[in-house]
């Protein structure tokens, strides 16, 4: 079945005891996108992904995965990296990757061949014959990711993929994710680290307390916060303060304030006419981290923690 959406989920609800860990989540992921599900620890991200994949059943709501109303029917076309990493320590890296591909229907010989190609492309060609127990944690995690893409899935789902990786392996992982998108795959990943989402995501959802608090692009998220300006005059006296916005604060020899809704031009004209001049001026665009903190803060309370075995 074909669809412009790789993932469509509507009104997903999951209860564990008296707690609604996921409380009416909607997610729509277009084919070929990198889509991030962001949120603090315990926000419901993992449970949402597992419901989308059909690993656990929702108490309420519907989901369609790669055009299938029964998500498990699409499993051979999906690559999944769970938050809990797990490889057989006695297996060689190449065999581990081929084994994961075989679980998705990829012939063993083809899997072994692709494993070598993938490891070399990821800068791990030297470790093809090494056993998993001999690899660093970061290298083993990259090997497990390669095992989730060796069968060239239409959809790649990654749960907190950057957790525990050093900067070098984080960069490798980002490159792998972009390469998957470039070959036409859809990537859906969860994270609580904003820097990766800011660099990678075409669209994203922010979840807190089991609910979607925001959905849109990175720029849409940033736009929920006003622009800030840093202004340094040629000279300053007591009269300068009256020409600046009410929230202006002294900052490193200058002033920092929120850019007025009508813009900054009229204020600058007044400052120049009054003889204060402009020694320095910069406009600061809010980052995704700042937008995330504001959006999550608006949910009014701590998010429900997920059960330990599903967090």
């Amino acid at each position: 079945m074909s669809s412009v959406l790789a993932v469509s989920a509507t009104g997903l609800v999951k209860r564990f005891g008296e707690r609604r860990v996921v409380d009416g989540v909607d997610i729509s992921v277009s084919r070929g996108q990198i889509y991030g599900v962001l949120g603090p620890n315990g926000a419901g991200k993992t449970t949402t992904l597992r419901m989308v994949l059909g690993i656990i059943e929702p108490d309420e709501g519907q989901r369609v995965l790669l055009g299938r109303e029964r998500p498990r029917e699409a499993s051979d076309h999906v690559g999944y990296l769970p938050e809990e990493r797990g490889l057989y320590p006695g297996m060689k890296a190449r065999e581990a990757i081929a084994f994961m591909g075989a679980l998705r229907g990829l012939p063993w010989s083809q899997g072994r061949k692709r494993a070598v190609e993938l490891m070399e492309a990821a800068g791990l060609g030297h470790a093809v014959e090494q056993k998993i127990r001999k690899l660093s944690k970061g290298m083993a995690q990259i090997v497990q990711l390669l095992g989730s893409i060796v069968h060239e899935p239409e959809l790649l789902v990654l749960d907190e993929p950057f957790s525990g990786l050093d900067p070098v392996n984080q960069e490798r992982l980002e490159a792998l994710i972009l390469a998957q998108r470039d070959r036409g795959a859809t990537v859906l990943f969860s994270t609580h680290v904003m820097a990766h989402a800011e660099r990678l995501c075409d669209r994203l959802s922010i979840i807190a307390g089991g609910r979607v608090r925001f959905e849109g692009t990175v720029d849409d998220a940033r736009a929920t916060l006003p622009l800030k300006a840093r202004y340094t005059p040629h000279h300053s006296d007591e009269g300068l303060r009256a020409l600046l916005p009410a929230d202006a604060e002294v900052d490193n020899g200058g002033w920092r304030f929120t850019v007025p809704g009508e813009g900054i031009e009229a204020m600058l004209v007044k400052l120049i006419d009054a003889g204060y001049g402009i020694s320095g001026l910069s406009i600061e665009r809010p980052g995704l981290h700042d937008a995330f903190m504001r959006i999550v803060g608006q949910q009014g309370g701590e998010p429900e923690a997920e059960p330990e075995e599903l967090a």
Side-chain angles (χ1 to χ4, degrees), residues 118-140:
L118 288 169
M119 290 190 68
E120 289 178 345
L124 298 179
H126 63 283
V128 167
E129 296 296 328
Q130 287 188 26
K131 291 186 177 182
I132 298 300
R133 66 166 61 95
K134 298 291 186 179
L135 302 179
S136 68
K137 179 180 178 181
M139 290 170 64

Side-chain angles (χ1 to χ4, degrees), residues 16 46 51 76 82 98 179 193 200 222 224 290 293:
F16 294 108
T46 292
M51 285 191 288
D76 284 353
V193 182
L200 294 171
R222 287 169 168 168
T224 63
D290 295 325
M293 294 302 294

Side-chain angles (χ1 to χ4, degrees), residues 36-236:
V37 179
L38 283 56
N41 291 328
K45 304 185 299 296
T46 292
T47 301
T48 296
L49 294 185
R50 291 182 174 182
M51 285 191 288
V52 165
L53 291 170
I55 296 171
I56 59 176
E57 292 297 311
D59 295 317
E60 299 176 28
Q62 295 80 40
R63 68 269 203 246
V64 177
L65 190 70
L66 297 176
R68 283 85 163 179
E69 294 185 3
R70 294 186 178 92
R72 299 301 288 269
E73 293 178 356
S75 61
D76 284 353
H77 304 278
V78 176
Y80 176 46
L81 180 71
E83 187 176 14
E84 304 85 3
R85 317 298 184 224
L87 294 168
Y88 292 111
M91 266 190 173
K92 293 180 179 179
R94 176 171 60 181
E95 274 60 44
I97 294 171
F99 175 71
M100 293 176 67
L103 295 176
R104 302 293 189 181
L106 185 68
W108 182 257
S109 60
Q110 193 171 358
R112 293 180 83 247
K113 181 176 182 293
R114 286 187 186 174
V116 174
E117 295 170 352
L118 288 169
M119 290 190 68
E120 289 178 345
L124 298 179
H126 63 283
V128 167
E129 296 296 328
Q130 287 188 26
K131 291 186 177 182
I132 298 300
R133 66 166 61 95
K134 298 291 186 179
L135 302 179
S136 68
K137 179 180 178 181
M139 290 170 64
Q141 191 161 321
I142 295 296
V143 167
Q144 187 165 353
L145 173 67
L146 297 178
S148 70
I149 65 175
V150 67
H151 61 299
E152 297 183 346
E154 296 178 50
L155 172 66
L156 181 60
V157 180
L158 311 173
D159 193 359
E160 295 285 359
F162 298 98
S163 177
L165 291 182
D166 59 63
V168 171
N169 282 309
Q170 287 183 26
E171 187 173 329
R172 283 175 173 161
L173 179 50
E174 286 196 8
L176 284 167
I177 290 173
L178 290 170
Q180 290 303 297
R181 195 264 309 274
D182 290 345
R183 74 167 178 84
T186 305
V187 181
L188 171 63
F189 76 95
S190 71
T191 186
H192 62 275
V193 182
M194 299 302 105
H196 303 300
E198 196 159 16
R199 286 192 292 268
L200 294 171
C201 289
D202 298 307
R203 294 186 72 84
L204 56 88
S205 287
I206 295 177
I207 295 179
R211 297 180 182 179
V212 175
R213 307 294 172 171
F214 170 85
E215 201 283 335
T217 65
V218 172
D219 285 343
D220 291 337
R222 287 169 168 168
T224 63
L225 290 175
L227 297 175
K228 293 286 186 177
R230 290 181 183 272
Y231 162 68
T232 304
H234 287 313
H235 71 90
S236 181

